[in-house]
């Protein structure tokens, strides 16, 4: 059983009390003979920091329809959804997927082939290539090399095929958002 700021954590319910202890710190360890466990995250509630669990989460003001700035946020959200549905955005996503999906598949296949060869064919991987250098060492260094090559290819593909279109989309989105908010930045 561990204690966190005086609360019993875990255990079977046979402790001194099942909920809160008034004692904190080393004094609480004397109650059960265990070492105190001070965990600040244990006290953070899922509904928010320091709120009692019986308090309902506040309803966002945008749902209550209060104030003009909430309407601006809703209008800006609509702009982003509109941009997401646009052919230009779909083209950028398509170019991204056309590179990433095959590259990921190829790299994963190469990695699995290396692992399978290392475990299933150790005699092949131990075959010397030059002096103390064997096939396994060359293939392992090839894993590092292929990682760097894939990173370079990804950056090059992004620079040549996606960055310009994505930047134009970004500027267009900012202009549309500024217009939806009534000219405010």
């Amino acid at each position: 059983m561990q204690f966190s700021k005086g609360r019993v954590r875990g255990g079977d319910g046979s402790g001194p009390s099942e909920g809160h202890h008034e004692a904190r710190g080393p004094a609480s360890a004397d109650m059960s003979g265990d070492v105190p466990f001070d965990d600040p995250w244990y006290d953070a509630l899922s509904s928010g920091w320091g709120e009692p669990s019986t308090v309902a989460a506040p309803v966002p003001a945008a749902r209550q329809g209060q104030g003009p700035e909430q309407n601006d946020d809703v209008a800006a959200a609509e702009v982003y959804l509109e941009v997401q549905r646009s052919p230009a955005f779909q083209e950028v996503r398509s170019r991204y997927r056309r590179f990433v999906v095959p590259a990921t598949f190829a790299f994963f296949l190469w990695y699995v082939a290396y692992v399978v060869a290392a475990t299933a064919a150790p005699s092949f991987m131990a075959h010397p290539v030059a002096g103390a250098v064997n096939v396994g060492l060359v293939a392992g260094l090839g894993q590092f090399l292929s990682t760097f090559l894939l990173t370079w290819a990804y950056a090059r593909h992004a620079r040549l095929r996606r960055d310009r279109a994505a930047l134009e989309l970004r500027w267009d989105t900012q202009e549309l958002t500024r217009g939806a908010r009534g000219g405010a930045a």
Side-chain angles (χ1 to χ4, degrees), residues 42-61:
Y42 183 73
D43 292 330
L45 303 171
S46 61
S47 63
W49 291 95
E51 298 176 35
S53 60
T54 59
V55 175
V59 177

Side-chain angles (χ1 to χ4, degrees), residues 53-158:
S53 60
T54 59
V55 175
V59 177
R63 290 185 188 171
Q64 296 173 356
Q66 298 174 357
E69 59 191 38
Q70 283 80 17
N71 292 335
D72 293 345
D73 290 342
V74 171
E78 291 298 324
V79 167
Y80 282 102
L81 289 173
E82 179 183 333
V83 169
Q84 185 180 9
R85 293 183 203 114
S86 72
F89 182 83
Q90 296 303 322
E91 179 64 25
V92 170
R93 294 296 297 167
S94 175
R95 290 177 185 177
Y96 171 78
R97 287 186 190 113
R98 281 194 304 250
F99 179 84
V100 169
V101 171
T104 302
F105 180 75
F107 186 79
F108 184 71
L109 186 64
W110 158 235
Y111 175 75
V112 169
Y114 172 73
V115 171
V116 168
T119 57
S123 60
F124 170 71
M125 297 297 269
H127 188 320
V129 174
V133 177
N134 60 19
V135 173
L137 184 61
V138 171
L141 291 173
Q143 290 285 317
F144 285 103
L145 180 63
S146 65
T147 301
F148 292 121
L149 286 173
L150 185 60
T151 302
W152 170 80
Y154 176 83
R156 183 177 186 273
H157 182 269

Side-chain angles (χ1 to χ4, degrees), residues 155-168:
R156 183 177 186 273
H157 182 269
R159 185 181 72 245
L160 295 177
R161 312 259 163 119
R162 295 190 323 262
D163 285 353
R164 186 178 310 261
L167 186 60
E168 289 174 8

